[in-house]
Amino acid sequence: MTSTLVIYTTKYGTTETYAKQIATVLKADLKEIANVEAHDLIFYDTVIFGAPLYLGKPYHYEKVLDVIRLYPPHLFLTFLVGASHPTEEELKLIKHLLPVQDDHLFYFPGRLDYQTLTLKDKFLMQGLKLWIKGHAKKTADEEGILESFKHPVDLSQESYTQPLINFVNENALN
């Protein structure tokens, strides 16, 4: 058994893809949050949790925190996946919401395919679309979101995981 566990939750698959890439490179165990019990963490010094951002918050973050509080690992890292590249202000807001050290939080851009969204998410995206269209000057990410209504947008890249992997290699117990 390894001393690193990658836990993830996913909504449309990008977070799972990143979690598998990280687990493979680190030779870590991989589990979906639904399959994790608190006592599972006894065997791990490093725990990495990946979640998509959903409505501006990490999806199922409280669930993993409940588990981590019982058996805190030596090193706990979080990676979040969003539909675009975040601004510094957005990252600040996210970091403020989470009880995690700044250097223990990583953000990876993901994919957005309007056609695969649930009805609820399509409705939310329509609201976002109206809000973005109201901007006189749109950012590149806003333009990308508007493009996702016409065709899928994929910003994910395996190379985004490298800073997290480097951090684990430099800070995990040997």
Side-chain angles (χ1 to χ4, degrees):
M1 181 177 291
T2 69
S3 64
T4 301
L5 173 63
V6 178
I7 303 170
Y8 71 93
T9 184
T10 195
K11 193 141 172 66
Y12 293 105
T14 311
T15 307
E16 180 179 13
T17 299
Y18 279 127
K20 287 178 179 179
Q21 291 167 351
I22 293 165
T24 299
V25 172
L26 293 174
K27 296 179 177 63
D29 290 337
L30 177 70
K31 290 188 178 194
E32 191 167 1
I33 187 66
N35 300 322
V36 175
E37 299 291 331
H39 65 272
D40 293 337
L41 300 184
I42 295 170
F43 303 104
Y44 299 99
D45 297 318
T46 300
V47 175
I48 302 165
F49 176 64
L53 276 176
Y54 186 68
L55 300 175
K57 296 178 185 172
Y59 196 57
H60 291 190
Y61 198 72
E62 282 302 316
K63 184 171 183 175
V64 80
L65 286 181
D66 289 344
V67 173
I68 293 293
R69 284 182 189 115
L70 294 173
Y71 297 101
H74 166 73
L75 185 61
F76 175 61
L77 304 175
T78 300
F79 72 88
L80 301 176
V81 178
S84 62
H85 298 280
T87 65
E88 282 303 314
E89 287 197 15
E90 289 168 330
L91 279 177
K92 247 188 206 177
L93 181 61
I94 292 166
K95 288 176 180 180
H96 180 73
L97 290 173
L98 305 180
V100 64
Q101 296 174 31
D102 279 359
D103 62 349
H104 290 180
L105 178 65
F106 299 83
Y107 183 96
F108 309 144
R111 294 187 295 258
L112 185 56
D113 182 354
Y114 182 78
Q115 299 308 314
T116 65
L117 299 179
T118 64
L119 187 59
K120 175 185 173 187
D121 290 344
K122 284 181 178 181
F123 177 76
L124 292 169
M125 285 295 295
Q126 287 294 332
L128 180 60
K129 181 179 182 180
L130 289 173
W131 181 75
I132 291 172
K133 283 188 168 191
H135 295 173
K137 195 169 189 175
K138 295 166 188 56
T139 66
D141 285 334
E142 288 172 337
E143 292 288 354
I145 290 170
L146 292 176
E147 280 300 308
S148 74
F149 285 88
K150 300 173 194 165
H151 56 81
V153 174
D154 187 353
L155 302 174
S156 64
Q157 295 178 24
E158 188 171 352
S159 62
Y160 289 129
T161 64
Q162 199 57 54
L164 184 149
I165 291 164
N166 291 346
F167 191 92
V168 170
N169 287 333
E170 293 167 8
N171 295 284
L173 296 175
N174 292 327

